[in-house]
Amino acid sequence: MKTLQFREAIAEAMSEEMRRDESIYLMGEEVAEYNGAYKASKGMLDEFGPDRVLDTPISELGFAGVGVGSAMNGNRPIIEFMTFNFALVGIDQIINNAAKIRQMSGGQFNCPIVFRGPTASAGQLAATHSQAFESWFANCPGLKVVVPSNPNDAKGLLKSAIRDDDPVIFMESEQMYGDKGEVPEGEYTIPLGVADIKREGTDVTIVSFGKIIKEAYKAADELAKEGISCEIIDLRTVRPMDQDAILKSVKKTNRLVVLEEAWPFGNVATEITYQVQSKAFDYLDAPVVKLNTADTPAPYSPVLLAEWLPNHNDVIKAVKKVLYK
């Protein structure tokens, strides 16, 4: 094993795949000359040259469309958005073209493309730069949605996403790029659609994904001091969702808390709650609790932002609620 920052794991995954397959290229704002807005493509221009690592104008609709068209013609583009908030400018290409071209062409075209970049809040970036769109993209048939929480998962999942023959939304976080973690030395991939039990437990299941899962770890550490055993599941892939892993855990613990950084109406946690009550209702000893942001645009004030986001204290309260403590 070796230790890598999250950004290094992303760069390593892209570089390894680009060495393996010349049809893969990276395109986006500042990915080349500047080594990436978050240095997640550091050194790639030097290795692969300007034909395969391409800086673009500030034109998400344009370069998303170029990526979709080239994917339909045999390439495997990686399109980086500086933030998925900016993907809204290019969302027509993602939803109406990338996600639908296989069906609408009767299988004549596929679209092996990865759209990647950071999602959700990252400190005081205000309302328009602090949005989590995982549930938006996951709602659309034809898209796969991946949200890793650590360097090991990020590298393995990104390599699988690049090799996938369908469009993949790969969502990172500005606040995770400096995170360090152990990554295998050799070649490895992690299949899409497979959750990971990060911590085994017996009293309650906590399901989460992305950077907010760190709050679940903090809560579990505190609860363990009180003799409460939490099982933590990292979804890793939002769509396809590993429902079997969630259901198996809930049937063991009989209680479920879902932690997601997203607005509370119609999100990923809502879908998990429905699936569990539909398929494991008789195993539940308490109603499911889901923890989300406040139902408002993200505030700029650091005091308000701290209140807006779910935190480990909220997780502790939720766990005790489902345990009737």
Side-chain angles (χ1 to χ4, degrees):
M1 303 290 281
K2 59 186 176 183
T3 300
L4 291 181
Q5 289 186 333
F6 195 104
R7 60 169 58 89
E8 293 171 329
I10 294 293
E12 199 167 87
M14 293 190 293
S15 296
E16 288 179 5
E17 292 304 298
M18 288 174 68
R19 292 179 198 122
R20 187 185 62 84
D21 184 345
E22 291 188 356
S23 70
I24 300 168
Y25 67 90
L26 172 65
M27 180 166 59
E29 295 158 3
E30 299 186 350
V31 299
E33 296 289 346
Y34 193 64
N35 285 310
Y38 314 104
K39 300 300 180 276
S41 54
K42 186 175 181 179
M44 292 180 64
L45 175 63
D46 292 339
E47 178 174 357
F48 300 104
D51 290 339
R52 297 183 67 196
V53 182
L54 295 88
D55 279 330
T56 67
I58 302 174
S59 178
E60 286 80 6
L61 179 62
F63 64 77
V66 169
V68 171
S70 71
M72 291 170 60
N73 281 280
N75 292 304
R76 306 184 82 88
I78 305 166
I79 304 300
E80 178 179 314
F81 295 119
M82 195 176 294
T83 160
F84 265 96
N85 297 283
F86 302 159
L88 298 187
V89 182
I91 200 168
D92 179 61
Q93 291 292 342
I94 300 171
I95 300 298
N96 283 329
N97 290 334
K100 294 178 173 62
I101 193 62
R102 181 190 285 274
Q103 185 206 49
M104 294 184 71
S105 69
Q108 295 179 80
F109 290 101
N110 62 350
C111 192
I113 187 171
V114 174
F115 297 99
R116 52 158 293 271
T119 182
S121 67
Q124 290 179 264
L125 298 181
T128 59
H129 287 192
S130 302
Q131 302 168 108
F133 294 121
E134 292 89 324
S135 61
W136 286 31
F137 290 112
N139 183 254
C140 180
L143 297 177
K144 298 177 182 178
V145 181
V146 181
V147 194
S149 67
N150 59 79
N152 177 71
D153 289 351
K155 181 180 177 183
L157 289 165
L158 183 53
K159 287 169 71 71
S160 292
I162 293 168
R163 297 181 189 188
D164 201 284
D165 287 332
D166 290 305
V168 179
I169 307 295
F170 195 92
M171 309 182 93
E172 303 152 16
S173 167
E174 291 102 321
Q175 292 182 322
M176 287 198 299
Y177 285 121
D179 289 0
K180 294 181 179 180
E182 289 191 337
V183 175
E185 288 279 0
E187 166 73 15
Y188 77 101
T189 59
I190 295 174
L192 306 187
V194 180
D196 189 31
I197 298 175
K198 298 298 188 185
R199 179 170 180 155
E200 293 194 357
T202 56
D203 295 328
V204 60
T205 299
I206 303 174
V207 176
S208 189
F209 57 90
K211 79 171 190 293
I212 201 70
I213 200 172
K214 296 177 185 179
E215 300 300 315
Y217 297 146
K218 293 178 189 175
D221 288 340
E222 291 297 315
L223 290 163
K225 297 174 184 177
E226 301 179 37
I228 298 172
S229 174
C230 300
E231 180 147 296
I232 300 178
I233 296 178
D234 187 344
L235 278 184
R236 303 195 296 192
T237 303
V238 169
R239 183 162 185 170
M241 184 184 293
D242 190 352
Q243 295 181 18
D244 290 342
I246 300 170
L247 293 170
K248 183 178 179 181
S249 180
V250 169
K251 289 177 180 179
K252 177 175 72 171
T253 67
N254 310 116
R255 293 169 175 86
L256 175 62
V257 172
V258 187
L259 172 63
E260 177 190 6
E261 184 181 341
W263 294 310
F265 189 92
N267 54 31
V268 175
T270 305
E271 178 64 19
I272 293 171
T273 300
Y274 170 76
Q275 293 296 336
V276 169
Q277 69 82 30
S278 175
K279 298 173 182 176
F281 181 80
D282 291 339
Y283 291 89
L284 289 171
D285 287 341
V288 176
V289 174
K290 70 188 190 81
L291 299 172
N292 301 118
T293 67
D295 196 14
T296 70
Y300 177 76
S301 159
V303 176
L304 294 177
L305 183 63
E307 288 297 314
W308 184 79
L309 286 165
N311 59 44
H312 70 283
N313 289 320
D314 297 322
V315 178
I316 290 171
K317 291 175 186 176
V319 168
K320 290 184 175 181
K321 181 178 181 180
V322 299
L323 289 169
Y324 301 108
K325 290 183 180 288

